[in-house]
Amino acid sequence: MSITQPLRIMVVDDEPAIVEELAEFLEQLGYGVTACHTTEDALRAFQQDEAIGIVLSDMHMPGLTGVQLMGELARLCRSGRLYETAIFTGSSDKQDVVLALRAGVSDYYQKPVNLDELQAGVKRLQERVEQQMKEQQIRQRIQDLAASLHEMHSDLVPAKPRKTDVQMTTPADVIPEPFDKLSRRQLAVAQLIAKGMTNYQISCELGITENTVKLYVSQILRLTRVHNRTQLALSYPSHA
């Protein structure tokens, strides 16, 4: 699920009337709702639909309890999937609440559920999921940038390319200006640009990330003082 993808709420309760009431209420608020009457259905739906970002479950149901269901969801979900959970219970036993909070459940509601409280709580859970997703995307961008910089670290100093790196056939492998300023890897990228390859195709050809290719393209344009990829392709030696 991405930030732009609509967040769905899964409601789990063995009492159909409660599921229908909560589902109708949440749908009126604009949420997509997945209604489940058994924990088996809930586990199946959660695995099949990555858009489910909030799980609301009854505490006491046949088979798994709400807390046990949350534990199974955590065990089965893929690494990195973000979602929030809440429990509702008709029991006055505070031990239910203690167990739920210890299991990592974010919130709980006493039955009959106060719909105003539910609306406010769901909004909090939604904001929490969206914030976590933003932070996850930022971390991924940082990791991608670090990987790109690492790939480029050993290629900072320009060096005369070998024929295995760039297929140049000029005498003594003399690289004409302004391409003589480029390193081996920069020359390889420039050659593939001249062949009309996209950044993605270049990344596959050279075994580097697409972000790294973008950094190389920016460097090549700056070092050769051409304005865009088209000019670069036209000015690259025709025998390359």
Side-chain angles (χ1 to χ4, degrees), residues 215-227:
L215 290 174
Y216 276 127
V217 172
S218 178
Q219 290 179 342
I220 292 166
L221 295 178
R222 176 174 54 82
L223 291 171
T224 58
R225 296 184 179 180
V226 297
H227 298 294

Side-chain angles (χ1 to χ4, degrees), residues 103-123:
V105 174
S106 300
D107 208 346
Y108 73 95
Y109 302 94
Q110 193 72 36
K111 285 184 175 181
V113 177
N114 183 299
L115 296 182
D116 289 335
E117 291 181 2
L118 179 64
Q119 179 177 356
V122 165
K123 183 178 180 181

Side-chain angles (χ1 to χ4, degrees), residues 13-229:
D13 198 308
D14 60 311
E15 297 184 50
I18 292 178
V19 174
E20 291 175 10
E21 177 188 2
L22 296 181
E24 181 179 357
F25 173 73
L26 293 169
E27 286 171 347
Q28 289 175 350
L29 296 177
Y31 293 102
V33 178
T34 298
C36 298
H37 300 137
T38 68
T39 54
E40 291 82 1
D41 288 344
L43 291 171
R44 187 181 308 109
F46 185 78
Q47 289 182 283
Q48 293 175 349
D49 190 353
E50 289 276 325
I52 295 174
I54 296 176
V55 179
L56 307 176
S57 174
D58 187 23
M59 180 64 174
H60 297 288
M61 297 177 289
L64 301 177
T65 67
V67 169
Q68 290 172 332
L69 172 62
M70 301 307 182
E72 281 298 295
L73 294 179
R75 184 180 68 83
L76 294 174
C77 76
R78 64 169 179 78
S79 176
R81 179 170 178 177
L82 300 175
Y83 64 97
E84 292 289 333
T85 58
I87 290 286
F88 35 84
T89 177
S91 171
S92 59
D93 187 355
K94 295 300 181 182
Q95 188 63 24
D96 282 355
V97 177
V98 173
L99 289 173
L101 296 179
R102 283 180 178 174
V105 174
S106 300
D107 208 346
Y108 73 95
Y109 302 94
Q110 193 72 36
K111 285 184 175 181
V113 177
N114 183 299
L115 296 182
D116 289 335
E117 291 181 2
L118 179 64
Q119 179 177 356
V122 165
K123 183 178 180 181
R124 286 195 302 270
L125 296 180
Q126 178 183 4
E127 291 173 347
R128 189 176 304 176
V129 171
E130 291 175 346
Q131 181 60 35
Q132 291 173 347
M133 290 169 63
K134 290 177 182 178
E135 293 172 356
Q136 186 181 70
Q137 290 183 353
I138 291 172
R139 288 194 298 270
Q140 186 60 52
R141 288 176 189 150
I142 293 173
Q143 291 173 2
D144 290 344
L145 179 59
S148 297
L149 293 175
H150 178 73
E151 289 174 351
M152 298 176 67
H153 180 71
S154 61
D155 194 42
L156 297 176
V157 180
K160 186 175 74 172
R162 300 188 302 266
K163 289 184 178 180
T164 54
D165 294 314
V166 181
Q167 298 300 317
M168 301 292 290
T169 58
T170 53
D173 286 342
V174 175
I175 308 300
E177 293 185 353
F179 297 95
D180 58 338
K181 302 180 180 67
L182 304 182
S183 67
R184 295 192 197 96
R185 184 53 66 91
Q186 289 167 346
L187 277 167
V189 172
Q191 183 185 48
L192 296 177
I193 290 174
K195 292 181 178 180
M197 287 191 179
T198 65
N199 287 347
Y200 174 74
Q201 290 171 327
I202 294 172
S203 70
C204 295
E205 180 74 17
L206 299 180
I208 58 179
T209 66
E210 193 169 353
N211 283 333
T212 302
V213 175
K214 293 177 182 178
L215 290 174
Y216 276 127
V217 172
S218 178
Q219 290 179 342
I220 292 166
L221 295 178
R222 176 174 54 82
L223 291 171
T224 58
R225 296 184 179 180
V226 297
H227 298 294
N228 53 53
R229 296 169 70 103

